[in-house]
């Protein structure tokens, strides 16, 4: 089956015809290449600006203002990454164009002052955000991928008394 092969792959097709009496015909051997994908030249810069226990804010800077940005984000170990998108830029870029399930999962990105906010995140989980730019002619850019972890900010814990010396801790005194 050619279904799972990457674009630009050279393959060989073998075929044999069998008649009603079970006699084989001549074997047909045909080499072919799957089509290579082309991408537009739009680039996308992603910068994680901040996280809280439930959200992340990312600065998104595309090199074109005419393209539609599409995105998908989920926990890094979520099955959709492995089954439909892949986990690296090349695989994700290809899936965005070829895999119908991946395409259905892409959503249009709306930026607010050049930023995008992801909600519903959980502390202690690692996430992956993939963004592509679709130009007005329908061509896709290579995907840009950002991976990050949501951590809880517990601040700094300071002891009032240094356990080694028994003396007052100057950091504790300054924090009062």
């Amino acid at each position: 089956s050619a279904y799972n092969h990457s674009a630009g792959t050279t393959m060989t097709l073998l075929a044999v015809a069998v008649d009603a009496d079970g006699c084989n015909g001549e074997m047909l051997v045909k080499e072919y290449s799957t089509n290579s994908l082309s991408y537009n030249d739009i680039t996308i810069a992603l910068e994680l600006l901040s996280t809280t226990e439930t959200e992340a804010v990312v600065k998104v800077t595309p090199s074109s203002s005419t393209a539609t940005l599409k995105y998908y984000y989920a926990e890094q170990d979520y099955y959709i990454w492995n089954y439909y998108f892949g986990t690296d830029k090349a695989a994700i870029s290809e899936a965005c164009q070829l895999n119908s399930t991946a395409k259905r999962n892409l959503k249009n990105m709306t930026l607010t002052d050049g930023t995008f906010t992801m909600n519903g995140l959980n502390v202690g989980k690692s996430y992956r955000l993939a963004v592509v730019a679709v130009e007005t002619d329908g061509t896709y850019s290579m995907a840009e991928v950002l991976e990050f972890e949501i951590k809880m900010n517990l601040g700094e814990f300071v002891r009032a008394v240094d356990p080694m010396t028994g003396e007052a801790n100057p950091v504790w005194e300054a924090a009062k």
Side-chain angles (χ1 to χ4, degrees):
S1 160
Y3 177 75
N4 291 322
H5 296 288
S6 298
T9 302
T10 300
M11 304 175 66
T12 302
L13 172 68
L14 303 173
V16 175
V18 180
D19 66 17
D21 297 325
C23 295
N24 295 339
E26 191 174 318
M27 181 181 288
L28 170 72
V29 178
K30 178 75 176 169
E31 284 197 4
Y32 66 95
S33 294
T34 57
N35 291 333
S36 294
L37 294 175
S38 60
Y39 297 95
N40 63 42
D41 58 356
I42 298 171
T43 58
I44 305 162
L46 301 176
E47 178 187 354
L48 184 63
L49 295 178
S50 65
T51 61
T52 67
E53 290 80 9
T54 60
E55 70 178 29
V57 178
V58 177
K59 181 178 179 184
V60 181
T61 311
S63 63
S64 169
S65 61
T66 61
T68 300
L69 296 176
K70 294 186 175 278
Y71 73 93
Y72 180 75
Y73 71 86
E75 290 180 26
Q76 288 183 25
D77 59 358
Y78 190 53
Y79 78 95
I80 286 181
W81 288 117
N82 290 325
Y83 289 113
Y84 300 114
F85 281 101
T87 56
D88 61 70
K89 284 183 182 185
I92 292 169
S93 298
E94 190 173 294
C96 288
Q97 290 191 61
L98 297 178
N99 187 302
S100 60
T101 302
K103 286 176 99 167
R104 274 195 310 274
N105 278 285
L106 291 173
K107 296 177 182 143
N108 286 346
M109 179 178 272
T110 301
L111 299 179
T112 304
D113 296 326
T115 64
F116 175 67
T117 302
M118 292 172 277
N119 296 299
L121 308 181
N122 295 302
V123 172
K125 300 291 183 177
S126 296
Y127 289 87
R128 179 179 296 120
L129 166 67
V131 181
V132 293
V134 183
E135 193 54 271
T136 54
D137 64 3
T139 58
Y140 282 69
S141 70
M142 289 291 292
E144 187 58 42
V145 177
L146 177 68
E147 296 180 346
F148 59 95
E149 183 177 353
I150 297 296
K151 297 179 181 179
M152 182 178 283
N153 182 1
L154 298 176
E156 292 186 37
F157 288 92
V158 179
R159 294 179 186 227
V161 176
D162 185 323
M164 301 297 282
T165 64
E167 296 177 11
N169 186 336
V171 176
W172 172 265
E173 293 299 320
K176 282 203 241 177

